[in-house]
Amino acid sequence: LMRVARAQRRRWRDALAPWDLSPHHARALAVVCERDGVRLSDLAEALRIAPRSATEVADGLQERGLVERTPDPGDRRAVILRPTDEGRRIRGEISAARAADSSELLARLSPDDRDALARILRTLAD
């Protein structure tokens, strides 16, 4: 199981190469897009990283024009990260690439084996 997880992480890094994004950046962009805006503290919590690290990830996304910082209307001291149009576009492309990669990987299994794997992984996750 761990070997497959490591192999999948390598595939994920390789799939992100066209956008020159790290997995951290891609996950952060996904959170910002899914929530259509998020505070840095909430991003840190969602990514399970330190707030300082979330700031660095957000800085990297902002430098690339994928997110923007906007004032939080409920707290003038805070900012909200919002996806830019480019960020939404890139997120869509990444999602499609990841889905295609997962389909390619799982195509090695028969439909019955895919069903069994899904059932086993759900059982282990619970």
Side-chain angles (χ1 to χ4, degrees):
L1 189 59
M2 294 305 294
R3 247 177 69 200
V4 172
R6 280 191 298 274
Q8 187 60 15
R9 279 194 300 274
R10 279 191 302 275
R11 290 174 68 97
W12 176 223
R13 278 193 307 271
D14 292 345
L16 290 171
W19 299 279
D20 192 30
L21 287 176
S22 71
H24 268 325
H25 286 112
R27 285 182 33 229
L29 182 59
V31 169
V32 173
C33 288
E34 287 164 7
R35 298 184 185 183
D36 196 33
V38 65
R39 283 179 159 201
L40 279 169
S41 59
D42 295 331
L43 178 64
E45 184 178 319
L47 298 177
R48 296 184 181 116
I49 61 176
R52 175 74 180 124
S53 296
T55 299
E56 291 172 2
V57 171
D59 288 347
L61 292 174
Q62 186 176 16
E63 288 169 8
R64 307 244 349 245
L66 303 177
V67 301
E68 61 187 359
R69 286 177 163 92
T70 60
D72 183 340
D75 182 351
R76 293 184 316 175
R77 297 168 295 165
V79 297
I80 301 218
L81 294 173
R82 297 201 186 282
T84 62
D85 290 341
E86 178 72 357
R88 284 187 191 92
R89 183 184 69 76
I90 295 293
R91 173 62 185 146
E93 290 177 3
I94 289 170
S95 293
R98 189 163 195 188
D101 183 67
S102 293
S103 292
E104 178 186 321
L105 178 67
L106 293 174
R108 299 175 187 178
L109 302 174
S110 71
D112 287 343
D113 285 346
R114 283 194 297 271
D115 290 342
L117 177 61
R119 180 184 50 75
I120 291 165
L121 291 175
R122 275 193 303 275
T123 300
L124 291 175
D126 292 343

